[in-house]
Amino acid sequence: SSFASTDENRAALTKLFQSAPAKYSNIDIQKMYKAAKIADKNGDRPLARSILTQLREATPNDSRVVRRLARLEMEEGDIVKAREVLRDAIRANPKDAYLHQGLAQVELRTGNDDAARMSYREAIRSDPSLPNPYHALGTLEHSRGNIRAATTVLRTGLK
């Protein structure tokens, strides 16, 4: 079953209540994320990076923040840093399909098709119900002329 046991839930709640109080409320975090998106959209990358860095510390398991930070690095031409941001997050959360999808996109952007394929497949293994990596991997295979592989991936994703 995908539901946590009572003992697991109790352990998680105990850990939560024994941890230090959060620096930011959920509302603060939502506002910060929105402000980071606006700063990024307006071209104020230093402000966006600053807010995202604070969010990363406040919400270390939020893959949206990690992916946005990696995208900023990639858009500024620092592919090595973009990979590093994603790989660090994957080490902490190896089953986060969104992080694997983000790494695949970085690899694809750099022309590393094999690494992109591996990351898309890892995203699929991590969350078989997520349609994005099936679509992205199918699109990659199709664009490279691997029609049979593309069809297989896309059919599997539709099941």
Side-chain angles (χ1 to χ4, degrees):
S1 142
S2 62
F3 293 103
S5 71
T6 302
D7 288 340
E8 288 171 332
N9 287 330
R10 186 176 295 120
L13 284 171
T14 300
K15 183 178 176 185
L16 177 67
F17 288 122
Q18 290 176 349
S19 63
K23 188 174 179 179
Y24 304 104
S25 72
N26 286 341
I27 292 172
D28 290 337
I29 288 169
Q30 289 172 354
K31 287 179 182 177
M32 289 168 70
Y33 190 76
K34 186 175 182 180
K37 284 174 65 172
I38 291 168
D40 186 20
K41 184 178 178 183
N42 291 337
D44 191 344
R45 291 181 188 275
L47 178 59
R49 180 180 274 96
S50 173
I51 295 168
L52 289 168
T53 301
Q54 290 174 44
L55 278 170
R56 179 86 173 104
E57 292 169 13
T59 60
N61 297 324
D62 188 340
S63 58
R64 296 173 313 156
V65 172
V66 173
R67 289 182 62 183
R68 190 167 280 277
L69 272 169
R71 189 179 53 72
L72 275 177
E73 297 297 349
M74 198 164 58
E75 287 175 356
E76 291 180 352
D78 195 342
I79 300 300
V80 172
K81 182 69 175 170
R83 264 192 203 107
E84 181 183 304
V85 165
L86 287 159
R87 286 181 178 158
D88 286 349
I90 288 169
R91 274 191 286 283
N93 298 295
K95 294 294 180 188
D96 188 318
Y98 292 100
L99 294 174
H100 289 287
Q101 169 96 15
L103 182 58
Q105 290 169 320
V106 169
E107 298 299 357
L108 188 60
R109 185 108 172 246
T110 63
N112 193 345
D113 287 2
D114 289 339
R117 283 182 184 98
M118 283 178 25
S119 290
Y120 284 133
R121 287 186 188 114
E122 192 56 43
I124 290 167
R125 275 191 292 278
S126 295
D127 185 354
S129 68
L130 184 67
N132 306 23
Y134 293 101
H135 179 264
L137 180 57
T139 301
L140 167 62
E141 295 299 1
H142 183 265
S143 70
R144 301 305 187 260
N146 304 323
I147 305 305
R148 180 169 287 158
T151 304
T152 301
V153 169
L154 292 170
R155 275 195 187 127
T156 303
L158 291 172
K159 289 181 183 176

